[in-house]
Amino acid sequence: MHQLSFTDMKFELRRKTRKTRTERVTERLDELVPWGDLLGLIRPFYFESGHRGRQPFDLELMLRIHLLQISYNLSDPQMEDFLHENITARNFVGLEMADRTPDESTILQFRHLLEKHNIGEQIFKTINERISQAGLRFCKGRIVDASFIEAPSSTKNNSGKRDP
């Protein structure tokens, strides 16, 4: 386990009385996913660090982000926001509060890398084999997103006037 920063300690001290859904999901993923096998599948195709310019993010970090994105069926911008807003997600992927967070284009490029080399299906198959042994199933879900739209009140009332 890594050393906690002061910000991380502040959050740890304010622990809740029960675990959140995200905490339960990430703990199960951490237990059941064969991280070494999946990293071995991707490593030959992943970007090498050590060159000039901005260095790529750690492969395991990007894989964990990818699995969270699949688990919650999030778009790339939603995944970036989820990482900024959710401390449990940051802990699961291995980011501390002060760490640089991958942006939506970095998340997109990683997914395109997996698609280009047909690794996504292998990852999904490997995870499902392992998870099914535990009596579970990993599949894509659907989350419906709602928006609030400002609109004037209805005039379809007894008086025919807008409600103040």
Side-chain angles (χ1 to χ4, degrees):
M1 183 164 180
H2 68 281
Q3 183 176 351
L4 296 176
S5 67
F6 287 117
T7 308
D8 293 332
M9 287 178 12
K10 179 181 175 185
F11 280 103
E12 287 297 320
L13 291 174
R14 294 183 3 188
R15 292 303 304 166
K16 301 166 287 304
T17 56
R18 66 173 184 82
K19 291 182 181 178
T20 64
R21 180 178 183 273
T22 306
E23 288 172 322
R24 291 190 306 271
V25 168
T26 55
E27 283 178 3
R28 287 304 291 239
L29 280 175
D30 220 8
E31 292 170 9
L32 298 174
V33 172
W35 297 107
D37 296 345
L38 298 181
L39 293 171
L41 280 173
I42 305 167
R43 195 170 313 281
F45 307 104
Y46 196 64
F47 312 104
E48 292 182 22
S49 62
H51 299 289
R52 290 184 187 187
R54 191 168 65 171
Q55 299 301 304
F57 285 94
D58 181 61
L59 174 58
E60 186 171 349
L61 168 91
M62 294 306 297
L63 177 60
R64 286 174 175 267
I65 289 172
H66 182 70
L67 291 183
L68 269 185
Q69 187 175 16
I70 291 171
S71 298
Y72 288 100
N73 198 25
L74 300 173
S75 67
D76 299 328
Q78 288 173 323
M79 188 65 222
E80 180 184 355
D81 290 345
F82 190 59
L83 288 171
H84 283 293
E85 296 167 351
N86 192 310
I87 188 71
T88 304
R90 290 185 75 82
N91 287 340
F92 174 72
V93 301
L95 288 172
E96 294 182 13
M97 294 303 286
D99 289 342
R100 184 172 62 106
T101 304
D103 62 356
E104 64 183 88
S105 64
T106 305
I107 296 168
L108 172 71
Q109 288 172 3
F110 183 75
R111 193 175 66 254
H112 283 179
L113 175 85
L114 298 178
E115 291 168 357
K116 178 182 175 184
H117 299 289
N118 296 319
I119 303 173
E121 286 297 321
Q122 291 174 300
I123 290 173
F124 207 67
K125 182 181 173 186
T126 304
I127 291 173
N128 264 333
E129 287 173 2
R130 185 72 173 270
I131 289 180
S132 65
Q133 292 171 358
L136 302 170
R137 200 172 116 209
F138 190 68
C139 60
K140 280 193 168 186
R142 181 170 301 228
I143 297 174
V144 177
D145 191 10
S147 299
F148 291 103
I149 301 172
E150 290 290 328
S153 60
S154 174
T155 58
K156 296 181 182 179
N157 54 29
N158 291 340
S159 65
K161 297 184 179 178
R162 297 208 185 277
D163 185 10

